[in-house]
Amino acid sequence: MKFGVVVFPGSNCDRDMQEALQNDLKQEVVMLWHKDKDLSRFTTNDCIILPGGFSYGDYLRCGAIARFSPMMQSVIDFANSGGKVLGVCNGFQILCESHLLPGVLLRNANQQFICKNVYLKGVGGADKALKIPIAHGEGRYFADEATLNELEANNQVIYRYCDEKGQITAAANPNGAIRNIAGICNKNRNVFGMMPHPERACTSALGNIDGRIILKTLIMQPQPAFV
Amino acid sequence: MTYTVQVTVMPLKELLDPQGKAVMGGLSNLGLSNVQDVRIGKNITLQVEAGSADAAKEIAETAAKKLLANPVMEYFEVAVN
């Protein structure tokens, strides 16, 4: 399989993602410019990644303008035809604004930009809580009750904030996300969005390789095993 | 003719508005303790070319529904000046 990483004006985790996939996970990566729209070299066995950053300066709402870029029209078609799409941080916000995932990411409850390691319970974390960094000002996941109940009933919550021992507690929730939600997927299980940055935890040079577990189990396996 | 249309976008009433909360704290520090609540939204001004005020309003409502506001977190009001 190969990976496409979309570069929007204001993306700033695109090269981190490229680095992690190419050098740490030994995958083929193609960088995709937001003004292009050609995804013909990708098949539904491949994966398109929307990286973190501040696409279009976060103007209007995070991800709201990126949704209308030429490349996103192709990414939406790619997702709807079954191709894998992963959005990290700003990429998650773009997926929500594009209606590929339900809900929205609101301003952090504590009014602060938070940049720190957190622990996650979810896909690939059956044995231990995964330590992954977050870096966002708008990461408080929110959706109405009906949507949340549907997400849980369909096992679409892929990550929740937890403590080091894997306990999902209010104290372990960094941004006030409803039901501690850090990441979700769509019903068809081919579109994934998460606020934490697995690409920042893929090399022992950075002292943490838990991110590899996430990238491997979530998008490099045919069907991710849900916890 | 050209109509000036004001679109006001506000966070849903049931949602926490951290920005408003921070400003509320600032106002309390100023001694304005009569202010009970602060909520912060956006005011977006559109110049709309349309045949009538109603038509201009309809165009602005479409803009608000499709892009200017996200109904999961915001509501909007449209006023033609």
Side-chain angles (χ1 to χ4, degrees):
Chain A
M1 77 181 290
K2 59 178 173 293
F3 291 83
V5 177
V6 183
V7 183
F8 296 101
S11 293
N12 67 3
C13 299
D14 45 332
R15 304 292 148 176
D16 298 47
M17 187 59 83
Q18 181 188 24
E19 176 83 14
L21 291 168
Q22 253 171 12
N23 298 346
D24 302 323
L25 293 163
K26 309 296 178 205
Q27 298 298 308
E28 182 186 348
V29 181
V30 181
M31 301 306 278
L32 302 168
W33 186 235
H34 67 107
K35 281 188 175 169
D36 297 332
K37 53 181 180 188
D38 182 17
L39 287 181
S40 59
R41 70 180 106 178
F42 292 92
T43 72
T44 48
N45 293 325
D46 298 327
C47 177
I48 303 295
I49 298 193
L50 308 181
F54 302 83
S55 59
Y56 298 86
D58 277 353
Y59 290 172
L60 193 63
R61 293 179 306 278
C62 305
I65 313 286
R67 169 191 166 196
F68 295 99
S69 68
M71 184 52 80
M72 270 314 292
Q73 307 318 303
S74 303
V75 172
I76 291 168
D77 291 343
F78 179 79
N80 287 334
S81 59
K84 278 190 179 179
V85 178
L86 168 67
V88 171
C89 201
N90 186 228
F92 185 13
Q93 295 164 341
I94 296 169
L95 289 174
C96 288
E97 281 286 345
S98 304
H99 308 304
L100 286 175
L101 292 175
V104 75
L105 284 311
L106 299 170
R107 181 80 54 99
N108 294 343
N110 69 358
Q111 307 159 35
Q112 289 171 11
F113 188 95
I114 308 168
C115 187
K116 66 172 188 182
N117 282 316
V118 297
Y119 289 91
L120 299 178
K121 187 146 186 82
V123 177
D127 305 328
K128 61 163 190 165
L130 301 167
K131 186 167 87 170
I132 301 290
I134 55 166
H136 58 244
E138 283 91 358
R140 175 168 50 116
Y141 184 76
F142 173 79
D144 61 34
E145 283 290 306
T147 306
L148 291 168
N149 291 339
E150 200 187 321
L151 283 174
E152 289 183 344
N154 295 331
N155 211 7
Q156 285 172 255
V157 178
I158 55 173
Y159 291 109
R160 289 182 208 264
Y161 300 108
C162 66
D163 64 18
E164 204 171 344
K165 290 179 186 139
Q167 301 295 315
I168 296 160
T169 65
N173 185 342
N175 53 25
I178 199 155
R179 304 190 192 180
N180 278 44
I181 291 173
I184 58 169
C185 70
N186 65 346
K187 224 181 241 174
N188 290 335
R189 292 185 159 15
N190 66 317
V191 179
F192 307 89
M194 60 188 297
M195 287 313 296
H197 287 272
E199 79 281 7
R200 294 191 187 182
C202 283
T203 167
S204 47
L206 295 174
N208 183 2
I209 55 166
D210 280 2
R212 288 189 194 187
I213 299 171
I214 289 181
L215 293 177
K216 278 184 182 166
T217 49
L218 207 54
I219 51 180
M220 289 169 65
Q221 287 175 3
Q223 192 68 46
F226 282 75
V227 177
Chain B
M1 65 180 276
T2 306
Y3 293 88
T4 301
V5 188
Q6 306 276 350
V7 181
T8 306
V9 181
M10 295 299 294
L12 291 177
K13 293 192 166 82
E14 61 268 31
L15 289 183
L16 169 72
D17 173 18
Q19 209 180 169
K21 214 171 134 193
V23 170
M24 175 84 194
L27 292 175
S28 304
N29 291 341
L30 269 178
L32 294 169
S33 53
N34 289 341
V35 179
Q36 301 287 308
D37 190 29
V38 180
R39 301 199 55 90
I40 296 181
K42 300 183 188 95
N43 185 300
I44 301 165
T45 307
L46 308 176
Q47 301 296 330
V48 182
E49 182 64 39
S52 67
D54 281 349
K57 191 176 179 191
E58 210 177 304
I59 291 167
E61 278 172 351
T62 304
K65 271 183 208 154
K66 293 201 167 164
L67 175 61
L68 304 180
N70 181 338
V72 182
M73 60 194 263
E74 295 162 328
Y75 68 95
F76 67 87
E77 282 160 13
V78 174
V80 184
N81 290 342

